[in-house]
Amino acid sequence: MAVEVLLQRLRGEGGRDIADIINAAAAAGGSISREEIYVLCDYRDDRMLRGITRPAARITANLQSEGILPPSVAPMMKSV
């Protein structure tokens, strides 16, 4: 349920690309390459991905503060 809430909030805040990235990574076993993100989101080659994990981390923290997720849950996105 919390994952669906997170994805809905991302989409509601204009984060459709990030929600799509999370879904694609989940379908691929939990990770997605930088190159796959560029193709999936139709990003230009010169676009930087700096800060792309922030919206998911912020919403995860909000869900934790609302008691929907326990504090031990890690954010949905992590850059490697």
Side-chain angles (χ1 to χ4, degrees), residues 14-76:
R16 185 190 65 79
D17 286 351
I18 298 170
D20 290 347
I21 292 166
I22 291 170
N23 281 325
S31 65
I32 187 170
S33 71
R34 177 184 186 88
E35 292 79 19
E36 290 170 310
I37 291 172
Y38 278 78
V39 170
L40 176 69
C41 299
D42 196 29
Y43 291 161
R44 294 187 340 232
D45 290 340
D46 63 346
R47 179 185 172 130
M48 296 183 69
L49 296 180
R50 182 178 297 146
I52 198 165
T53 62
R54 288 183 190 144
R58 178 181 43 77
I59 292 172
T60 299
N62 290 345
L63 293 173
Q64 289 168 326
S65 69
E66 294 169 22
I68 296 171
L69 286 174
S72 60
V73 172
M76 291 289 293

